[in-house]
Coordinates of all heavy atoms in Angstrom, one line a residue:
L29 N 0.8 -1.2 0.0 CA 0.0 0.0 0.0 C 0.9 1.3 0.0 O 0.6 2.2 -0.7 CB -0.9 0.0 1.2 CG -1.8 1.2 1.4 CD1 -2.7 1.5 0.2 CD2 -2.6 1.1 2.7
E30 N 1.9 1.3 0.8 CA 2.8 2.4 0.9 C 3.4 2.7 -0.5 O 3.5 3.8 -0.9 CB 3.8 2.2 1.9 CG 3.3 2.3 3.4 CD 4.4 2.0 4.4 OE1 5.5 1.8 4.0 OE2 4.0 2.0 5.6
N31 N 3.9 1.6 -1.1 CA 4.5 1.7 -2.5 C 3.5 2.3 -3.5 O 3.8 3.1 -4.3 CB 5.1 0.4 -2.9 CG 5.9 0.5 -4.2 OD1 6.8 1.3 -4.3 ND2 5.6 -0.4 -5.2
A32 N 2.2 1.8 -3.4 CA 1.2 2.2 -4.4 C 0.9 3.7 -4.1 O 0.6 4.4 -5.1 CB 0.0 1.3 -4.2
Q33 N 0.9 4.1 -2.9 CA 0.6 5.5 -2.6 C 1.7 6.4 -3.2 O 1.4 7.5 -3.8 CB 0.5 5.7 -1.1 CG -0.8 5.1 -0.4 CD -0.7 5.2 1.1 OE1 0.3 5.3 1.7 NE2 -1.9 5.2 1.7
K34 N 3.0 6.0 -3.1 CA 4.1 6.8 -3.6 C 4.0 6.8 -5.1 O 4.2 7.9 -5.7 CB 5.4 6.2 -3.2 CG 5.7 6.3 -1.7 CD 7.0 5.6 -1.3 CE 7.3 5.7 0.2 NZ 8.6 5.1 0.5
N35 N 3.7 5.7 -5.8 CA 3.6 5.7 -7.2 C 2.5 6.6 -7.7 O 2.7 7.3 -8.7 CB 3.4 4.2 -7.7 CG 4.7 3.4 -7.5 OD1 5.8 3.9 -7.4 ND2 4.5 2.1 -7.5
Y36 N 1.4 6.5 -7.1 CA 0.2 7.3 -7.5 C 0.5 8.7 -7.4 O 0.2 9.6 -8.2 CB -1.0 6.8 -6.8 CG -2.2 7.7 -7.1 CD1 -2.8 7.6 -8.4 CD2 -2.8 8.6 -6.2 CE1 -3.9 8.4 -8.7 CE2 -3.8 9.4 -6.5 CZ -4.4 9.3 -7.8 OH -5.5 10.1 -8.1
K37 N 1.1 9.1 -6.2 CA 1.4 10.5 -6.0 C 2.4 11.1 -7.0 O 2.2 12.2 -7.6 CB 2.0 10.7 -4.6 CG 2.2 12.1 -4.2 CD 2.7 12.2 -2.7 CE 2.8 13.7 -2.3 NZ 3.3 13.7 -0.9
R38 N 3.5 10.3 -7.4 CA 4.4 10.7 -8.4 C 3.8 10.8 -9.7 O 4.0 11.8 -10.5 CB 5.6 9.7 -8.4 CG 6.7 10.1 -9.3 CD 7.9 9.2 -9.3 NE 7.6 7.8 -9.6 CZ 7.5 6.8 -8.8 NH1 7.7 7.0 -7.5 NH2 7.2 5.6 -9.2
T39 N 3.0 9.8 -10.1 CA 2.4 9.8 -11.4 C 1.4 11.0 -11.6 O 1.3 11.6 -12.6 CB 1.6 8.5 -11.7 OG1 2.5 7.4 -11.5 CG2 1.0 8.5 -13.1
E40 N 0.7 11.3 -10.5 CA -0.2 12.4 -10.6 C 0.5 13.8 -10.8 O 0.0 14.6 -11.5 CB -1.1 12.4 -9.2 CG -2.3 13.4 -9.3 CD -3.1 13.3 -8.1 OE1 -2.5 13.0 -7.0 OE2 -4.3 13.4 -8.1
M41 N 1.7 13.9 -10.1 CA 2.4 15.2 -10.3 C 3.0 15.3 -11.7 O 2.9 16.4 -12.3 CB 3.6 15.2 -9.3 CG 3.2 15.3 -7.8 SD 4.6 15.2 -6.7 CE 5.6 16.6 -7.3
L42 N 3.4 14.2 -12.3 CA 3.9 14.2 -13.7 C 2.8 14.5 -14.7 O 3.0 15.1 -15.7 CB 4.6 12.9 -14.0 CG 5.9 12.6 -13.2 CD1 6.4 11.2 -13.5 CD2 6.9 13.6 -13.6
A43 N 1.6 14.0 -14.3 CA 0.5 14.2 -15.2 C 0.1 15.6 -15.3 O -0.4 16.2 -16.3 CB -0.7 13.3 -14.8
Q44 N 0.3 16.3 -14.2 CA 0.0 17.8 -14.1 C 0.9 18.6 -15.1 O 0.6 19.7 -15.5 CB 0.1 18.3 -12.7 CG -1.1 17.8 -11.8 CD -0.9 18.2 -10.3 OE1 0.1 18.9 -10.0 NE2 -1.8 17.9 -9.5
K45 N 2.1 18.0 -15.3 CA 3.1 18.6 -16.2 C 3.0 18.1 -17.6 O 3.9 18.3 -18.4 CB 4.5 18.5 -15.6 CG 4.6 19.2 -14.3 CD 6.1 19.0 -13.7 CE 6.2 19.6 -12.4 NZ 7.6 19.4 -11.8
D46 N 2.0 17.2 -17.8 CA 1.8 16.5 -19.1 C 3.0 15.7 -19.5 O 3.4 15.5 -20.7 CB 1.5 17.5 -20.2 CG 0.2 18.2 -20.0 OD1 -0.7 17.6 -19.4 OD2 0.1 19.4 -20.4
L47 N 3.7 15.1 -18.5 CA 4.8 14.2 -18.7 C 4.5 12.8 -18.8 O 5.3 11.9 -19.3 CB 5.9 14.4 -17.6 CG 6.5 15.8 -17.5 CD1 7.4 15.9 -16.4 CD2 7.2 16.2 -18.9
V48 N 3.3 12.4 -18.3 CA 2.8 11.0 -18.5 C 1.4 11.0 -19.0 O 0.6 12.0 -18.9 CB 2.8 10.3 -17.1 CG1 4.2 10.1 -16.6 CG2 2.0 11.0 -16.1
A49 N 1.0 9.9 -19.5 CA -0.3 9.8 -20.1 C -1.4 9.5 -19.0 O -1.0 9.0 -17.9 CB -0.4 8.6 -21.1
T50 N -2.6 9.8 -19.3 CA -3.7 9.7 -18.3 C -3.9 8.2 -18.0 O -4.2 7.8 -16.8 CB -5.0 10.2 -18.9 OG1 -4.8 11.6 -19.3 CG2 -6.1 10.1 -17.9
I51 N -3.6 7.3 -19.0 CA -3.8 5.9 -18.7 C -2.8 5.4 -17.6 O -3.1 4.5 -16.9 CB -3.5 5.1 -20.0 CG1 -4.0 3.6 -19.8 CG2 -2.1 5.2 -20.5 CD1 -4.0 2.9 -21.1
D52 N -1.6 6.0 -17.5 CA -0.7 5.6 -16.5 C -1.2 6.1 -15.1 O -1.0 5.4 -14.1 CB 0.7 6.3 -16.7 CG 1.3 5.7 -18.0 OD1 1.1 4.5 -18.3 OD2 2.1 6.4 -18.6
V53 N -1.8 7.3 -15.1 CA -2.4 7.7 -13.8 C -3.5 6.8 -13.3 O -3.6 6.4 -12.2 CB -2.9 9.2 -14.0 CG1 -3.6 9.6 -12.7 CG2 -1.8 10.1 -14.3
D54 N -4.3 6.4 -14.3 CA -5.4 5.5 -13.9 C -4.9 4.1 -13.4 O -5.5 3.5 -12.5 CB -6.3 5.2 -15.1 CG -7.1 6.5 -15.5 OD1 -7.2 7.4 -14.6 OD2 -7.5 6.6 -16.7
A55 N -3.8 3.6 -14.0 CA -3.3 2.3 -13.6 C -2.7 2.4 -12.2 O -2.9 1.5 -11.4 CB -2.2 1.9 -14.6
D56 N -2.0 3.5 -11.9 CA -1.5 3.7 -10.5 C -2.6 3.8 -9.5 O -2.5 3.4 -8.3 CB -0.5 4.8 -10.5 CG 0.8 4.5 -11.2 OD1 1.1 3.3 -11.4 OD2 1.6 5.5 -11.5
K57 N -3.6 4.5 -9.9 CA -4.8 4.7 -8.9 C -5.4 3.4 -8.6 O -5.8 3.1 -7.5 CB -5.8 5.7 -9.5 CG -6.9 6.0 -8.6 CD -7.8 7.1 -9.1 CE -8.9 7.4 -8.1 NZ -9.8 8.5 -8.7
K58 N -5.6 2.6 -9.7 CA -6.2 1.2 -9.5 C -5.3 0.4 -8.6 O -5.9 -0.3 -7.7 CB -6.4 0.6 -10.8 CG -7.1 -0.8 -10.8 CD -7.2 -1.4 -12.1 CE -7.9 -2.8 -12.0 NZ -8.0 -3.4 -13.4

């Protein structure tokens, strides 16, 4: 859970800068 929380937080920050695709954000949230 702790690892998933870190991954989702990092992916969400990158998504705000348009550095990752939305599909990656959704995968980390799941």
Side-chain angles (χ1 to χ4, degrees):
L29 176 59
E30 290 177 1
N31 187 51
Q33 287 173 337
K34 291 178 182 179
N35 289 338
Y36 176 69
K37 186 176 181 180
R38 183 175 61 254
T39 304
E40 192 176 32
M41 292 176 60
L42 293 174
Q44 291 176 356
K45 298 178 181 179
D46 295 329
L47 297 177
V48 294
T50 303
I51 191 172
D52 293 330
V53 176
D54 294 340
D56 288 342
K57 185 176 182 180
K58 183 178 179 181

